[in-house]
C-alpha cells in the first residue's frame, strides 16, 4: 500500500488497505494505516471509525489515540478528541503529535491559554504545517493572556516553517499577526499588505484574514483612510 501511494496510485493503495483490514481486523498497524489514508482522501468521518477500531484492537495505544483524536478534530468533535489526546499526552509527554493535537483540541474548545501550554516542543524534523499550527496557537494564546513577549516563540516557529516550506503564504500571514500582537503595528501592516495579493487567488479565508489584519493595523497606526478602504 505504501509503495502504491508513493507512486501516486492512491485509490489502489486504499483498496489494498481495506482488503488487509478485512482480513486482519485486529491488526493495529493496518487499522492506523487505513485511518491515515482515509484522512488524506478527505474522509475523516470514516477515519474516526477505523481509528476507534484500532483503539479497541490495541487496548488504546498512543498511536491509535492520536489518530482518533486528530480525525475527530477534523469533523469538529473536539470533546472526544480532547479526551483521547489528553490520554496520549499523559502516557507520552514528549510525543509532539499528541501535544500539538491536544493544543488544537483546547483551541477548538475555546481555551486558548491551555492550548498555548502544549504548542511547543516540536522536533526539528516536524513538518512545516506543524510549525505553522504551533505558531498560530502560540500567538493566539499570547494575545489571550495579554503577554506579547511570548510571541517570540511563535516567530521562531515561523522561521523554522519558512526553512521547510519557502513561499508558504500562511507563514507571512501569521508573521503579520505576531507583529500585531507584539505591538509592532507598522510592521504588521507592511506584512499583511505583502501577502494580500498572493491570497487573492489561493485562499479566500486567508485573504479575508489578511484584509482584517490590514484594517486593524491601519487603525492602530492612525491610517484611518486605509482602514476604511
Amino acid at each position: 500500500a505504501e509503495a502504491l501511494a508513493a507512486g501516486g496510485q492512491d485509490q489502489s493503495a486504499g483498496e489494498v488497505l481495506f482488503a488487509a483490514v478485512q482480513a486482519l481486523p485486529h491488526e493495529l498497524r493496518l487499522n492506523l494505516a487505513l485511518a491515515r489514508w482515509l484522512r488524506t482522501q478527505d474522509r475523516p468521518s470514516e477515519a474516526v471509525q477505523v481509528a476507534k477500531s484500532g483503539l479497541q484492537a490495541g487496548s488504546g495505544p498512543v498511536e491509535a489515540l492520536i489518530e482518533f483524536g486528530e480525525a475527530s478534530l477534523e469533523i469538529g468533535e473536539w470533546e472526544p478528541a480532547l479526551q483521547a489526546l489528553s490520554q496520549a499526552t499523559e502516557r507520552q509527554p514528549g510525543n509532539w503529535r499528541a501535544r500539538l493535537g491536544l493544543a488544537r483540541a483546547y483551541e477548538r474548545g475555546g481555551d486558548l491559554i491551555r492550548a498555548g501550554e502544549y504548542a511547543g516542543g516540536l522536533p526539528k524534523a516536524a513538518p512545516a504545517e506543524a510549525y505553522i499550527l504551533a505558531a498560530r496557537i502560540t500567538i493566539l494564546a499570547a494575545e489571550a493572556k495579554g503577554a506579547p513577549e511570548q510571541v517570540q516563540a511563535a516567530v521562531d516557529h515561523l522561521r523554522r516553517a519558512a526553512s521547510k516550506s519557502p513561499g508558504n503564504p500562511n507563514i507571512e500571514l501569521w508573521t503579520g499577526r505576531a507583529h500585531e500582537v507584539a505591538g509592532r503595528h507598522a510592521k504588521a501592516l507592511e506584512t499583511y499588505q505583502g501577502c494580500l495579493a498572493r491570497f487573492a487567488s489561493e485562499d479566500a479565508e486567508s485573504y479575508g484574514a489578511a484584509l482584517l489584519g490590514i484594517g486593524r493595523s491601519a487603525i492602530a497606526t492612525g491610517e484611518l483612510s486605509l482602514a476604511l478602504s
Side-chain angles (χ1 to χ4, degrees):
E2 289 179 2
L4 290 169
Q9 301 181 56
D10 282 343
Q11 294 307 312
S12 297
E15 290 171 8
V16 169
L17 286 168
F18 271 112
V21 169
Q22 265 194 328
L24 298 167
H26 300 300
E27 178 59 47
L28 175 63
R29 182 174 58 85
L30 294 175
N31 278 277
L32 295 182
L34 179 56
R36 293 187 190 105
W37 179 84
L38 287 164
R39 291 176 61 201
T40 68
Q41 302 301 305
D42 293 324
R43 296 161 64 178
S45 295
E46 293 171 77
V48 166
Q49 297 306 313
V50 172
K52 188 180 292 185
S53 298
L55 285 173
Q56 295 165 351
S59 302
V62 168
E63 294 83 358
L65 287 165
I66 294 172
E67 204 65 41
F68 174 77
E70 290 180 343
S72 295
L73 284 172
E74 289 176 11
I75 60 173
E77 295 184 356
W78 67 269
E79 289 181 328
L82 182 63
Q83 182 177 6
L85 292 163
S86 293
Q87 290 180 38
T89 303
E90 286 171 8
R91 294 185 192 180
Q92 290 185 5
N95 188 309
W96 71 267
R97 276 187 65 201
R99 290 179 61 84
L100 192 55
L102 183 56
R104 284 180 63 204
Y106 276 121
E107 180 194 19
R108 294 287 179 87
D111 192 342
L112 291 171
I113 293 175
R114 286 299 300 279
E117 294 173 5
Y118 293 95
L122 297 182
K124 291 181 180 179
E129 288 304 319
Y131 276 101
I132 294 170
L133 174 59
R136 183 190 81 201
I137 293 173
T138 300
I139 290 165
L140 296 176
E143 185 176 36
K145 290 171 69 175
E149 71 280 358
Q150 295 183 5
V151 164
Q152 184 56 46
V155 173
D156 293 340
H157 288 324
L158 291 167
R159 285 176 181 155
R160 178 77 67 179
S163 72
K164 294 170 174 285
S165 180
N168 186 320
N170 279 303
I171 296 172
E172 199 168 356
L173 175 66
W174 285 101
T175 299
R177 188 65 180 269
H179 287 312
E180 186 181 351
V181 173
R184 300 186 291 266
H185 297 293
K187 190 66 175 175
L189 180 58
E190 178 186 343
T191 304
Y192 285 133
Q193 288 175 318
C195 67
L196 192 62
R198 296 166 65 189
F199 280 129
S201 59
E202 295 179 23
D203 187 333
E205 183 177 348
S206 295
Y207 179 79
L211 276 177
L212 289 172
I214 288 173
R216 292 190 304 267
S217 301
I219 291 170
T221 55
E223 298 188 39
L224 296 182
S225 60
L226 178 58
L228 291 171
S229 67

